[in-house]
Amino acid sequence: MVNNIFFKITGSLIQAYIYCPRKAWLMSRQIVGDQYNEFLAIGRLISGETYKRDKREILIEGGKIDVVRVKGNEFILIETKKTSKFIETSKKQLIFYLIQMEKNGFKVKGEIRIPKEKKVIPVKLSDSDRSDMEKIKKELSELLASSNPPVKKWSRKCRNCSYLELCWG
Ligand code: SF4
């Protein structure tokens, strides 16, 4: 069944959708996962501590960025992550933010930093990123319009998911 409620697409919903469509649906209904999930807690600690000195968390339409640096006329959006596991989800979220800023006239690029692995992954927008994101947003809007969540499917991602208890407890 489809309902008429409008759900604003945010960076967090994009990330959740790439991780698991069911997660995005649950999140859109304000159903809160396990906040004490160890994986998430460590992630929060890393993003809160690692770049403490130059942390400039900013809010943009649909989400927030860990750190923003300005070099000349270019903005660099930096996200910090605990691990490169499931990095595709973080990359898509960052691409969403970059596109939002680009639409507002900013020159932007991104970086994903994984301090524990001493990795910096540059993220630059391409035409295929832009068209992929339009496709993802359309699919996500259709999913969120459904009155029921997608059927749960076990995957290795479930172990690190804040909805583990809710789905499988
Ligand atoms: S626990 Fe698994 S099925 Fe449930 S939302 Fe998370 S990833 Fe999806």
Side-chain angles (χ1 to χ4, degrees):
M1 195 175 137
V2 170
N3 63 46
N4 293 321
I5 305 170
F6 172 76
F7 292 96
K8 185 174 165 56
I9 302 293
T10 64
S12 302
L13 281 173
I14 295 279
Q15 186 181 32
Y17 177 66
I18 300 299
Y19 194 85
C20 167
R22 182 177 166 88
K23 183 176 182 178
W25 191 97
L26 292 169
M27 196 184 269
S28 74
R29 268 52 180 191
Q30 311 297 318
I31 297 169
V32 179
D34 176 11
Q35 296 305 298
Y36 296 99
N37 178 305
E38 191 192 356
F39 190 81
L40 297 181
I42 293 169
R44 274 196 293 269
L45 189 69
I46 285 175
S47 75
E49 295 297 322
T50 308
Y51 296 103
K52 212 167 188 174
R53 268 190 301 149
D54 60 354
K55 190 171 166 66
R56 311 245 196 290
E57 193 173 85
I58 63 153
L59 299 172
I60 63 167
E61 197 186 351
K64 66 179 192 305
I65 303 290
D66 290 342
V67 178
V68 177
R69 291 202 178 129
V70 186
K71 273 195 182 163
N73 63 349
E74 192 169 49
F75 286 75
I76 306 166
L77 311 189
I78 303 168
E79 287 282 275
T80 52
K81 296 294 162 195
K82 173 186 176 269
T83 164
S84 50
K85 215 171 160 186
F86 313 129
I87 201 69
E88 268 314 298
T89 63
S90 307
K91 201 171 167 193
K92 281 285 187 286
Q93 186 185 33
L94 187 52
I95 285 170
F96 173 81
Y97 293 142
L98 290 172
I99 291 173
Q100 296 295 102
M101 284 195 68
E102 189 181 67
K103 280 181 181 164
N104 287 326
F106 293 98
K107 196 173 174 218
V108 282
K109 65 180 181 183
E111 274 178 21
I112 298 175
R113 296 190 170 194
I114 308 157
K116 266 182 110 176
E117 299 176 13
K118 297 191 176 11
K119 272 189 193 161
V120 176
I121 301 167
V123 180
K124 273 193 131 185
L125 284 181
S126 68
D127 285 344
S128 76
D129 289 329
R130 293 180 188 94
S131 58
D132 280 358
M133 188 52 65
E134 284 309 309
K135 196 166 152 266
I136 289 168
K137 280 163 67 179
K138 187 169 176 288
E139 288 169 3
L140 178 55
S141 296
E142 286 166 7
L143 175 102
L144 299 183
S146 170
S147 299
N148 298 308
V151 175
K152 62 187 179 184
K153 281 188 210 142
W154 177 259
S155 80
R156 67 194 180 100
K157 293 176 181 173
C158 295
R159 289 189 202 287
N160 294 323
C161 178
S162 55
Y163 293 104
L164 176 68
E165 275 297 309
L166 189 145
C167 291
W168 304 104

